[in-house]
Amino acid sequence: MTNTPRTPKKHDSTDDHDDARPAGRPSTMEVLRQARAQFTELTGLASESVSSFERTEDGWTLQIEVLELARVPDTMSLLASYEVDLAADGELTGYRRVRRYERGRADARTGGRS
């Protein structure tokens, strides 16, 4: 038996699930990037992260975390979660702030063990 080195398969940037999307429809990553850019342009607030996203009947809904007020120390800075709605083509159709919190403060536990 001969030891033949295996060459790892290169992962093509077009995933199998992307082949199923209709022509002209943006990929999930394109939608996330577009949403962050549009949100920043509209509000002037730079997004720190996208904490959740889901496809809806009409398009997409995302939760974007932003720094609203920088403080010293950084753990006292005020952040906010915004719910952002997008059309199927990735265009921002609306947003609303759903939560404001200090960076160093965790949410209160709901249910489960304490």
Side-chain angles (χ1 to χ4, degrees):
M1 183 167 168
T2 309
N3 282 343
T4 320
R6 287 187 170 179
T7 307
K9 288 184 179 180
K10 289 185 180 178
H11 186 67
D12 191 358
S13 63
T14 56
D15 295 324
D16 293 336
H17 66 277
D18 283 344
D19 293 340
R21 93 182 125 94
R25 188 174 184 187
S27 72
T28 302
M29 289 308 298
E30 290 168 335
V31 167
L32 296 177
R33 285 186 198 105
Q34 267 186 331
R36 290 176 74 172
Q38 290 177 75
F39 181 80
T40 297
E41 187 174 345
L42 276 171
T43 65
L45 300 169
S47 65
E48 293 211 344
S49 66
V50 174
S51 57
S52 71
F53 69 94
E54 67 178 311
R55 194 180 303 250
T56 64
E57 284 183 19
D58 301 325
W60 298 84
T61 298
L62 290 77
Q63 289 273 334
I64 295 180
E65 307 300 318
V66 301
L67 174 64
E68 285 200 333
L69 181 61
R71 289 188 175 160
V72 176
D74 190 47
T75 55
M76 297 303 292
S77 293
L78 291 178
L79 288 95
S81 294
Y82 282 82
E83 186 173 285
V84 178
D85 297 320
L86 305 165
D89 64 359
E91 285 296 313
L92 194 142
T93 58
Y95 68 90
R96 65 198 126 313
R97 184 171 65 192
V98 294
R99 181 174 164 239
R100 197 170 192 208
Y101 57 99
E102 291 176 342
R103 185 185 297 275
R105 189 165 305 228
D107 285 339
R109 272 188 111 145
T110 56
R113 290 185 281 179
S114 297

